[in-house]
Amino acid sequence: MTTLALPRMRSLPSAGTVLALLVVVFVLVAAVAPGLLTDRSPTAIDLHNTLQPPSWRHPFGTDDAGRDLLTRVIHGSRQSLGIGLGATALAFLIAVLLGFTAALAGGIVDGAITRVIEVAFAFPALLLGLLIIAIRGPSLATAIVAVGIGSAPGYARMVRGQVLAVRQAGFIEAAAALGHSRFAVIRQHLFPNAMRPLVAVLTLGVGQSIVWAAGLSFLGLGVPPPSSEWGALLDAGRLHITTSWWLEILPGLVIVLVALSVTSLGRTLQNRLGGASQ
């Protein structure tokens, strides 16, 4: 007796993945069109309602200038997410230039670039970011550059490992044997196959960059006031942490929730696409 083989169904995403996706979508909407989520101004001062605790009217409470904290968190999504995406893109660009050059050139060039990457990787990223900010001064652009350069060495190691692994694959040798030019082999075969597993790693990097940027702002070295970037909100609220807990706890929880959600989506992509070589 023969049996019919049923087609294999793809596993449905877990509840955690769905929740993480909803959080990320909410943050994207807040960053692109904050007016859809709130009609209040993040800079509107109301001295009659300063340091009000969370309530139905002000779900996140108000700050020392009477500004609605939830509104400031929503409008701050654009800067925080912009730093995360911009820093990750900058780090990836640097990593591709260094990683591909090292893996394809080989020899002395590979050795020199690898030593530079290892030294930079061993140097604490936070201290490197502080050095860049000390030179350029705190600003949104400086935060992106500082976090991006601090993240680049780790990505460069991954890119180099992926290129070396894919370079030895049989289809690369077959494409070269068929007479394809070196540039065509790199563009059509080597680059897409080497970069595909790194998509998930870059997703993880966005959450990490948001946390790093918030840490710099908390130290007063990120985006300067009156910015509503999430780390700047933490920096402004720490002066009232003993009397107005919501100024620190609620923006901090938002940072943690967004970072965890982006990381969860990155892990899901990593499981589906495969990990990257170190």
Side-chain angles (χ1 to χ4, degrees):
M1 180 178 179
T2 60
T3 57
L4 295 177
L6 296 177
R8 184 178 180 181
M9 299 180 63
R10 292 185 177 181
S11 59
L12 296 176
S14 63
T17 301
V18 174
L19 179 60
L21 181 60
L22 291 176
V23 170
V24 171
V25 170
F26 183 86
V27 174
L28 288 174
V29 173
V32 176
L36 296 178
L37 303 177
T38 179
D39 58 354
R40 294 175 174 174
S41 170
T43 58
I45 297 176
D46 184 4
L47 297 180
H48 296 289
N49 291 287
T50 59
L51 298 177
Q52 294 295 312
S55 62
W56 181 258
R57 184 181 179 186
H58 301 287
F60 277 25
T62 62
D63 62 10
D64 55 354
R67 295 171 295 194
D68 183 70
L69 185 58
L70 177 59
T71 299
R72 289 180 61 77
V73 168
I74 290 174
H75 282 266
S77 302
R78 178 174 300 177
Q79 290 184 322
S80 295
L81 190 61
I83 292 175
L85 294 174
T88 304
L90 176 61
F92 181 64
L93 177 61
I94 297 173
V96 168
L97 292 176
L98 294 179
F100 261 83
T101 302
L104 296 180
I108 298 177
V109 175
D110 183 23
I113 294 178
T114 301
R115 297 293 85 76
V116 171
I117 293 174
E118 290 178 350
V119 171
F121 187 76
F123 195 80
L126 181 59
L127 292 181
L128 183 59
L130 293 176
L131 176 62
I132 295 173
I133 292 174
I135 296 174
R136 298 190 42 148
S139 68
L140 178 63
T142 302
I144 293 175
V145 172
V147 176
I149 293 179
S151 306
Y155 294 132
R157 292 179 62 188
M158 296 180 190
V159 170
R160 178 180 176 275
Q162 284 295 120
V163 174
L164 289 176
V166 175
R167 186 182 181 183
Q168 300 174 358
F171 63 88
I172 297 295
E173 297 180 358
L178 290 174
H180 295 178
S181 66
R182 181 181 176 85
F183 177 76
V185 172
I186 294 175
R187 180 176 59 87
Q188 298 177 7
H189 303 284
L190 184 59
F191 185 83
N193 286 280
M195 293 301 102
R196 187 176 295 114
L198 295 176
V199 173
V201 178
L202 294 177
T203 305
L204 298 174
V206 173
Q208 184 185 54
S209 297
I210 291 175
V211 173
W212 282 8
L216 292 174
S217 295
F218 180 74
L219 296 174
L221 299 172
V223 185
S227 168
S228 56
E229 188 264 332
W230 295 339
L233 295 181
L234 292 178
D235 180 42
R238 63 187 172 89
L239 299 177
H240 307 279
I241 189 171
T242 57
T243 57
S244 304
W245 57 267
W246 56 90
L247 296 179
E248 285 286 297
I249 300 299
L250 297 182
L253 288 177
V254 170
I255 295 173
V256 172
L257 180 60
V258 172
L260 288 177
S261 299
V262 174
T263 300
S264 176
L265 293 181
R267 293 296 184 190
T268 301
L269 285 174
Q270 197 170 38
N271 291 334
R272 292 179 179 272
L273 298 177
S277 301
Q278 298 291 330

